[in-house]
Amino acid sequence: MTRGDLTEKLLDIKREKGWTWKYICGEIGGMSPILVTGAILGQMKLTKPQAAAAAKLFGLSKSEETLLNEVPMRGTGTPMPPTDPLIYRFYELIMVNGPALKALIEEEFGDGIMSAIDFDMDITRKADPKGDRVAIAMTGKFLPFKYYGASGNDLAYGLKEA
């Protein structure tokens, strides 16, 4: 069985049982609902205890349970640019606002990146008279670029200079 086949099986069971993502994430537990949902969708891995909980919940075989604990090939399955309207809006958001975010992060922190590995993300619903709002909070560790070959008083990392 491929990871894609397992994802389809899990989605079929979810549909048949009428389960919500909130229910599934609550039963598996252990990390952010975004990561648990991502794991069920084949983009993240579950820990061994979480994979065991998912196997029990979904009635999976031992090999399917083990597959949930393997590191997936992330980012597969979504064409670039994305064609799904909701996913495309994230793509569009970064295309339009990415240069400004980059400039502001570099001004505040220096020459580097925001980690998407040492990273937290949360989605909440905010009531608004004009229509409820989707609030997405993302925090990632700042990772300065290493200036290899730096010597003497030269900066070795792209940290913000005083």
Side-chain angles (χ1 to χ4, degrees):
M1 172 175 281
T2 68
R3 188 60 184 88
D5 294 336
L6 180 56
T7 296
E8 289 305 315
K9 178 178 179 174
L10 297 173
L11 291 173
D12 283 345
I13 294 168
K14 177 187 179 293
R15 282 187 286 270
E16 288 170 10
K17 302 277 188 180
W19 291 340
T20 63
W21 287 114
K22 187 174 187 173
Y23 171 76
I24 293 167
C25 294
E27 292 296 306
I28 295 172
M31 62 175 81
S32 163
I34 297 167
L35 285 171
V36 173
T37 302
I40 299 302
L41 293 173
Q43 297 300 308
M44 302 300 269
K45 73 177 263 235
L46 295 177
T47 63
K48 287 182 179 182
Q50 289 172 312
K56 181 178 177 189
L57 178 65
F58 285 94
L60 303 179
S61 70
K62 187 64 180 166
S63 65
E64 291 167 331
E65 177 182 332
T66 302
L67 192 51
L68 289 173
N69 179 245
E70 290 180 5
V71 176
M73 184 64 74
R74 293 177 174 101
T76 58
T78 301
M80 281 296 161
T83 55
D84 179 88
L86 193 137
I87 295 173
Y88 182 80
R89 290 299 167 257
F90 286 104
Y91 182 80
E92 179 182 50
L93 185 143
I94 295 303
M95 286 190 309
V96 172
N97 296 296
L101 290 168
K102 175 182 170 31
L104 293 168
I105 289 169
E106 288 171 348
E107 182 175 88
E108 182 66 28
F109 293 93
D111 185 15
I113 62 170
M114 182 181 96
S115 176
I117 295 171
D118 190 344
F119 180 81
D120 292 303
M121 184 168 34
D122 189 39
I123 299 172
T124 55
R125 183 182 194 132
K126 302 262 183 192
D128 188 287
K130 297 180 285 183
D132 288 357
R133 319 283 283 170
V134 177
I136 300 173
M138 297 183 289
T139 62
K141 179 181 179 180
F142 179 72
L143 302 169
F145 281 109
K146 182 176 182 184
Y147 299 152
Y148 42 91
S151 61
N153 290 328
D154 292 335
L155 281 176
Y157 291 93
L159 299 171
K160 184 176 177 183
E161 296 182 61

